[in-house]
Amino acid sequence: MRTASRAACFPGRQLKTLPDRLSGVKNLRTLLRKHEEEASPEGELAHEQCLSCGADLEGSRSYERFRVCHSCGFHFHLSADERLATLLDIGSFHEDDRGVTAIDPLSFQGRQSYRSRVIQAQRRTGLTEAALTGTGTIHGRDVVMGVIDFSFLGGSIGVAAGERLARAFEKATSRRVPIVLICSTSGTRMQEGLLALMQAPRIAAAVERHGRAGLPYVAVLTDPTTGSAYTGFVNLADIILAEPNALVGYAALRSLQEATGDDLPAGSHTSEAHLRRGLIDGVVSRPQLRESLAQILDLVSNNFRLTATKGPMESRAAHSHQSAWQQVQISRHRMRPTSVELIARMTASFVEIHGDRSGVDDPAVVAGFGSLAGEAMMFIGQVREHDAGGNGGWITAAGFRKATRAIRLAGKFNLPLVTLVDTAGARPALADEEAGLGHAVAECMATMLAVPSPTIAVITGEGNSEAAVAMAVGDRVLMLDNAVYEVVRPEDAAAILSGDAVEIAERLRLTSHDCLRLGIVDQTVPEPGDGAHTDHGEAAMLLRRSILRTLARIQREKGKRRVERRYARYRQIGSTRSWVRGRLERQLAHLQDRAGGMVDRLRGRTLRRRPDFGDERDIPV
């Protein structure tokens, strides 16, 4: 990441600069020192030591550039100007709507005049409201930026701040650019009453219109982010990042402690706790935040598309010589590459998303944006840990909901969707049943069938039952040579049918060759040596090549035409008969059944009437 000390990005503001920097821009360290001196009566640095670990901060480059302790990583507060200085390209920021104010809409009277408090906050911070909005660039990409500064009345949202944020989303929509919002807020400004509360739907309406235009919205949560902002526009973001150890949630820490009557457990109500629950997508330290935002915006705003060139067709590799039961065992091999490893080896960059904001993040499903041969795509992988301590390949309701969220994001940003299928099935547990497992599986499948983006599904290991098909209804379905696609696991079928698992595996027609012949998959992907477990690198390379060739052929269609073709594909799977032919076939089947029954009855009568030759030999001649 480029250093934040290269300066802020605010031409036209009352900031100064170093001689070797752009005019009108002040060095971040000098700017920090100014704020600290104003806050310190002695005119000395307010933070000579870290507030967390006590480390000496004098001469610390991390503290100097980002206000982050070099020893423990503690993140100090940054003003709105300083936030933008660490994120935007030099000289690119232009502030909008500085004149939008509403100092005291209710003429609120308290111990101290509300009007006086607003004026004092304006003088102290140099801001006219808690929300600072404008336009700028990150790595040359145009963005609309918004920063909510906690130092201005606790970052509370009132009429003026709500209007500024709504205008920011509208500007991003009209210019068709992403919006990045940095939040540090305590919620609604009480002194403006219900007018302040109504800013939640005011901003949400603008966010929804921005989303319908297929444009990205990234929120970055800093310490603290609570209240109505958290339950409103923050959780409407496509991607939510947070700084380490930030206080994040609806209720303030004091309210939670009063409600429970005791101190909260260590680490709760923080950004890390939210990440574990899948409520946010990542925890990113301040020095890496600029690069992370640039990477996300590059992926979700990617305009590159692969095209197919004329050339020789891909040679057909010899199909696996293993029996069906042997392929079942290979598909479950403990050394077989997982979806996480395949994605890491195939993509140049990958940004993972977590959960569906419902409070659970299932590790059995991984999802995120990745770059494959320069084109951004959405990847969804079913993560099957083959060792005894793994998840066993079972997917929970939360896993299917995470996949559904990822599919919708792919459709919103018009990104190709690639799913990697390898699962033992949906987890048969009471907790998941009560969590809506049935609806989660059905919604995932229906969403994938309806998404307008190009979709490619790959059976990489064992694709079992409904959990597999829910994420495998793509425009094209590929299958690794030794993978299997099952309606039920052979050993489970054997237990139900009182048969032999080896024999039933053959009869279920579950190998890649069988699926290709039945028209369920479109292409098999060769594996190295005796299987993908023998060489993970080559297996990923072969799969990457097949995905790219398939994608180049299918993404030339328009979205509406693609969805119609997908409908026709799954509408026609399985051989059926016309009305006339079907009626004749049914009648013939019934006649054969009756004939067979008559033969069985005649055989039964013959056996019953057969004489007892033993008795006949006892009759005297």
Side-chain angles (χ1 to χ4, degrees), residues 29-45:
R29 176 175 171 80
T30 308
L31 189 59
L32 297 176
R33 186 180 292 275
K34 175 185 175 182
H35 286 297
E36 290 166 335
E37 287 176 347
E38 290 177 348
S40 175
E42 296 80 12
E44 298 178 353
L45 277 173

Side-chain angles (χ1 to χ4, degrees), residues 157-410:
I157 305 298
V159 173
E163 174 64 12
R164 290 186 180 190
L165 292 172
R167 288 191 182 191
F169 280 97
E170 289 170 351
K171 177 165 287 188
T173 304
S174 64
R175 294 190 177 185
R176 299 199 60 81
V177 297
I179 185 168
V180 177
L181 191 59
I182 315 296
C183 303
S184 182
T185 173
S186 58
T188 304
R189 193 170 300 177
M190 294 180 292
Q191 295 89 339
E192 297 186 16
L194 283 174
L195 291 178
L197 185 62
M198 289 298 104
Q199 301 314 302
R202 184 184 205 168
I203 302 170
V207 173
E208 286 298 303
R209 176 172 290 186
H210 182 264
R212 288 196 300 271
L215 300 170
Y217 163 32
V218 182
V220 180
L221 314 186
T222 67
D223 185 51
T225 300
T226 59
S228 61
Y230 177 81
T231 59
F233 56 85
V234 165
N235 269 291
L236 294 177
D238 300 308
I239 305 293
I240 302 179
L241 306 178
E243 288 187 341
N245 204 36
L247 178 66
V248 174
Y250 166 62
L253 188 60
R254 180 184 61 184
S255 300
L256 286 176
Q257 291 174 339
E258 290 176 353
T260 59
D262 199 358
D263 292 338
L264 298 179
S268 61
H269 212 48
T270 63
S271 50
E272 287 78 7
H274 275 58
L275 179 61
R276 289 193 297 271
R277 293 287 186 177
L279 299 173
I280 63 176
D281 296 300
V283 174
V284 184
S285 63
R286 198 173 291 161
Q288 283 76 48
L289 184 57
R290 172 179 159 87
E291 297 299 329
S292 295
L293 289 174
Q295 184 182 30
I296 290 172
L297 295 178
D298 278 344
L299 289 171
V300 299
S301 305
N302 186 280
N303 295 320
F304 300 103
R305 290 292 181 266
L306 297 170
T307 57
T309 58
K310 294 182 179 180
M313 295 294 291
E314 185 176 0
S315 59
R316 296 287 181 182
H319 186 71
S320 174
H321 62 278
Q322 308 286 352
S323 67
W325 181 247
Q326 288 174 325
Q327 290 189 51
V328 170
Q329 303 308 308
I330 294 175
S331 72
R332 302 173 183 172
H333 197 284
R334 64 182 184 86
M335 293 300 295
R336 194 167 181 85
T338 64
S339 295
V340 172
E341 184 175 1
L342 290 172
I343 292 172
R345 288 179 179 271
M346 289 191 297
T347 59
S349 60
F350 182 69
V351 176
E352 186 176 356
I353 63 174
H354 291 270
D356 69 326
R357 315 270 170 82
S358 67
V360 181
D361 185 24
D362 186 0
V365 174
V366 62
F369 305 95
S371 176
L372 194 65
E375 181 171 353
M377 304 179 191
M378 174 64 76
F379 287 89
I380 302 174
Q382 297 177 338
V383 184
R384 179 175 185 154
E385 301 292 348
H386 297 284
D387 59 355
N391 56 45
W394 300 104
I395 302 177
T396 67
F400 292 103
R401 287 195 291 265
K402 182 201 291 190
T404 301
R405 178 195 168 200
I407 295 169
R408 287 175 176 155
L409 285 176

Side-chain angles (χ1 to χ4, degrees), residues 536-595:
H536 293 191
E538 185 178 352
M541 182 270 292
L542 292 170
L543 177 57
R544 178 179 183 272
R545 182 186 301 164
S546 295
I547 290 174
L548 290 175
R549 289 180 175 176
T550 303
L551 181 62
R553 288 193 290 266
I554 68 172
Q555 68 178 353
R556 289 175 291 186
E557 278 187 321
K558 292 184 178 180
K560 187 175 181 179
R561 173 63 177 164
R562 183 181 299 116
V563 173
E564 289 298 322
R565 189 181 293 273
R566 192 184 302 148
Y567 171 83
R569 172 193 175 103
Y570 291 100
R571 179 69 178 78
Q572 297 168 5
I573 279 189
S575 59
T576 56
R577 305 297 185 221
S578 64
W579 183 82
V580 175
R581 186 175 178 183
R583 185 172 182 178
L584 292 174
E585 189 178 68
R586 288 195 303 273
Q587 290 178 350
L588 179 61
H590 283 295
L591 287 173
Q592 290 174 341
D593 183 67
R594 291 193 187 99

Side-chain angles (χ1 to χ4, degrees), residues 479-532:
M479 195 167 176
L480 265 62
D481 198 28
N482 286 305
V484 294
Y485 200 176
E486 310 161 337
V487 63
V488 64
R489 292 159 66 97
E491 53 267 51
D492 295 337
I496 296 171
L497 302 175
S498 301
D500 179 63
V502 176
E503 182 180 351
I504 288 180
E506 294 287 349
R507 294 180 178 179
L508 287 175
R509 302 292 187 264
L510 45 75
T511 68
S512 59
H513 182 69
D514 292 325
C515 292
L516 185 64
R517 190 173 63 249
L518 291 171
I520 295 172
V521 304
D522 302 284
Q523 178 187 333
T524 61
V525 181
E527 297 186 25
D530 292 328

